[in-house]
Amino acid sequence: MVSPVIWKHMHLYPGGAMSACIEQAAMVIEHGRIAWVGAACELPARYADLACEDLGGRWVTPGLVDCHTHLVHGGDRAGEFGQRLAGVSYETIARQGGGILSTVRASRATDEAGLFRQAADRLEAMLAQGVTTLEIKSGYGLELEAERKLLRVARRLGTIYPVTVYTTFLGAHALPPEFHGRADAYIDEVCQRMLPALVDEGLVDAVDVFCERIGFDLAQTERVFEAAQRHGLPVKIHAEQLSNSGGTRLAAQYRALSADHLEYLDEDGVVAMHAAGMVAVLLPGAYYFIRETQPPPLAWLRKHSVPMALASDCNPGTSPLTSLPQVMNMAATLFGMTVPEILQAVTVNAARALGQGDRHGHLAAGREADFAVWSVADLAELPYWMGRPLCQRVVRGGRTVFHRHDR
C-alpha cells in the first residue's frame, strides 16, 4: 500500500480546455487515486503533514492515451519502405502480396513469446514518452488461432507492464490468401466463427474494420458491425484513408466510437460524425510515412465540433512510430493543429475514442493517479521539440513506473 503523498511545486494541465491549467498546483494521492487537486495555495489543512514529492516546477499532464496502435506483430517491412522510396505506391505493394499480408505471414510464423518480446520493446518506448493507456488492434493473423495469439499477447502486455491496454478485434483488416477472391466467405468466417470465439474468451473490447478499396466494401463492413452489435461491442472504422468510400457515414449509423485516418472525408461525413458523437482519430505518422498529400479536413472537423484525437498508428508498414510527442509535432506541422487541440487529442479526446472518457485522459479528484511529468517550461514545447526526450517521470496508480533523471 502506497502512503498518501502530496505532489507539489508543479504546473498542471488536468485535461480539457487550456483555461483549466493551474500554474502553481498540488495533488494529493491516496490509495492510487487523486484525493484532491487544485491550486497549491488552496491545499486543505488536513493534508499539511503528508509526505511530499517536489516536481521542481515541471509540467504535469494526464498520462497520454494512444488510441490507435497495431503494436503486436511479427517482423518489420523495411524492405517495402525501400520500394516506396523508389516510387512504388502503397496500394501497388499491397496488391502484389506485400503490405498487410507480408506482416500476416511473419505474425503467423512467430510464437506468442516472440510476439511478446517484439511488442514489449515497442511498448517500453511508448511508456518512456508518457503513455499510460493504449489500444492494441489485432488484424495480422486473419485466422482464428493467429488472431487469438495476437490478442492474448496484447492482454498479457497489459498485465506485465504498468499500462492499461484495450484490445480491438480487426479481423476484417485484409483478405487472407486462403480466401483469395472470396471476400464474402471470409467475412462469414470473421462474423460467425472468429468473433464469437474471441468474445467468449474475453479477448475483445471493440471491433474495427478496414473499409477501403484494398480492404472491405460497405456491405461487408456493415456485416461486421452487425455481428459486433449482436455481441454488445462498440465499433470503429479505418476509413477515407485512400479514397472517399462512405465508410464514416456507415459507421455513424452504428454510433461508432471513432473513424480513423480520414484524409478523404467529405463534409457530409463530418456532419454524420458530429450527429453520432464520434471522435476523429488523426494519424499523422501514416500520412507522413506514405507521403500522402491530402490532409484530413480539419476546417470541417472544427466547423462541426467533431472532437479530434491523435494516435501513433504504430504498425510495421505505414507508421513504425512509438512516440506520441513526435505525433504531436507532426500534427502541428503537417495538419496545422494548435497546442490546445493537440493536448486534448492525446488525453481527453483519445480516451473518448476508446469509450473510456470517464476513466482516462483527465486528472480530477476520484480518478486514478495516472500522469506524466514533463521537463518543459511551457506546454508548447511538447509539440515543438523533435526527438528530444521530454518525459521526466511517468506515474500510474500513484506509483512512479518510469523516471528519467535530468542533467
Side-chain angles (χ1 to χ4, degrees):
M1 185 72 68
V2 179
S3 299
V5 174
I6 303 171
W7 294 72
K8 66 177 186 177
H9 195 192
M10 64 182 185
H11 308 305
L12 178 68
Y13 169 70
M18 291 292 284
S19 59
C21 288
I22 305 171
E23 286 288 339
Q24 295 294 334
M27 187 161 46
V28 178
I29 309 301
E30 292 182 336
H31 311 302
R33 293 187 174 273
I34 300 170
W36 183 90
V37 61
C41 62
E42 298 174 0
L43 182 71
R46 66 182 180 276
Y47 297 123
D49 294 331
L50 294 182
C52 294
E53 283 276 359
D54 189 322
L55 293 180
R58 295 181 179 87
W59 274 94
V60 170
T61 71
L64 304 186
V65 180
D66 196 340
C67 62
H68 181 133
T69 87
H70 304 256
L71 193 73
V72 181
H73 59 80
D76 61 49
R77 302 219 297 266
E80 291 179 12
F81 179 56
Q83 286 183 272
R84 285 205 301 277
L85 293 177
V88 184
S89 72
Y90 174 61
E91 189 167 349
T92 298
I93 291 170
R95 292 194 183 282
Q96 293 174 345
I100 293 168
L101 291 183
S102 63
T103 299
V104 170
R105 291 190 291 273
S107 299
R108 287 180 176 183
T110 306
D111 62 17
E112 286 192 30
L115 289 170
F116 182 89
R117 285 193 299 271
Q118 293 178 45
D121 286 344
R122 296 184 278 269
L123 180 56
E124 288 171 7
M126 290 178 169
L127 177 63
Q129 298 190 67
V131 170
T132 58
T133 303
L134 72 156
E135 181 226 38
I136 300 177
K137 301 179 189 292
S138 67
Y140 289 127
L142 307 186
E143 63 182 7
L144 179 56
E145 288 305 319
E147 289 289 296
R148 177 183 284 129
K149 178 172 63 173
L150 297 174
L151 291 167
R152 280 178 177 165
V153 170
R155 285 284 198 234
R156 185 177 172 219
L157 288 167
T159 62
I160 299 297
Y161 283 89
V163 296
T164 301
V165 171
Y166 295 99
T167 56
T168 295
F169 173 56
L170 182 57
H173 194 195
L175 189 63
E178 59 268 28
F179 281 87
H180 179 70
R182 298 186 298 126
D184 287 332
Y186 179 64
I187 294 298
D188 287 342
E189 176 76 2
V190 168
C191 297
Q192 298 173 16
R193 182 164 179 258
M194 296 167 71
L195 180 58
L198 297 171
V199 170
D200 285 348
E201 294 172 33
L203 294 174
V204 183
D205 297 319
V207 175
D208 198 350
V209 180
F210 184 32
C211 181
E212 190 53 82
R213 293 177 307 211
I214 58 173
F216 297 93
D217 64 26
L218 290 173
Q220 292 157 351
T221 299
E222 185 162 26
R223 289 176 58 200
V224 177
F225 285 174
E226 289 171 345
Q229 198 170 62
R230 288 193 295 272
H231 289 282
L233 291 170
V235 299
K236 49 185 69 179
I237 191 167
H238 284 60
E240 275 66 70
Q241 180 184 12
L242 305 173
S243 64
N244 186 3
S245 68
T248 298
R249 291 192 296 277
L250 173 65
Q253 295 174 26
Y254 286 82
R255 304 196 72 82
L257 294 174
S258 71
D260 302 28
H261 287 290
L262 304 180
E263 284 85 344
Y264 288 83
L265 182 63
D266 59 22
E267 189 169 9
D268 287 345
V270 174
V271 171
M273 291 186 72
H274 171 75
M278 294 169 63
V279 177
V281 178
L282 308 182
L283 305 169
Y287 175 93
Y288 166 84
F289 200 74
I290 66 174
R291 297 189 290 180
E292 180 58 77
T293 57
Q294 177 164 323
L298 263 75
W300 289 335
L301 293 168
R302 289 167 176 152
K303 174 183 174 182
H304 296 286
S305 301
V306 174
M308 293 180 286
L310 291 166
S312 68
D313 192 19
C314 178
N315 76 77
T318 62
S319 190
L321 176 61
T322 58
S323 169
L324 268 186
Q326 185 64 56
V327 170
M328 295 184 216
N329 176 270
M330 289 178 174
T333 57
L334 299 176
F335 296 165
M337 291 180 70
T338 67
V339 172
E341 287 174 334
I342 288 167
L343 292 172
Q344 291 185 52
V346 294
T347 54
V348 290
N349 289 349
R352 183 174 169 184
L354 296 177
Q356 299 293 332
D358 61 345
R359 184 177 176 192
H360 306 291
H362 190 77
L363 298 172
R367 294 223 179 189
E368 294 179 28
D370 293 355
F371 56 91
V373 181
W374 304 92
S375 294
V376 297
D378 189 300
L379 287 174
E381 291 187 56
L382 296 184
Y384 167 75
W385 289 107
M386 299 174 64
R388 180 176 175 178
L390 301 175
C391 187
Q392 191 260 348
R393 190 183 301 200
V394 178
V395 176
R396 184 168 186 268
R399 295 178 181 269
T400 296
V401 296
F402 170 79
H403 197 174
R404 176 183 285 111
H405 294 282
D406 297 334
R407 290 186 297 175

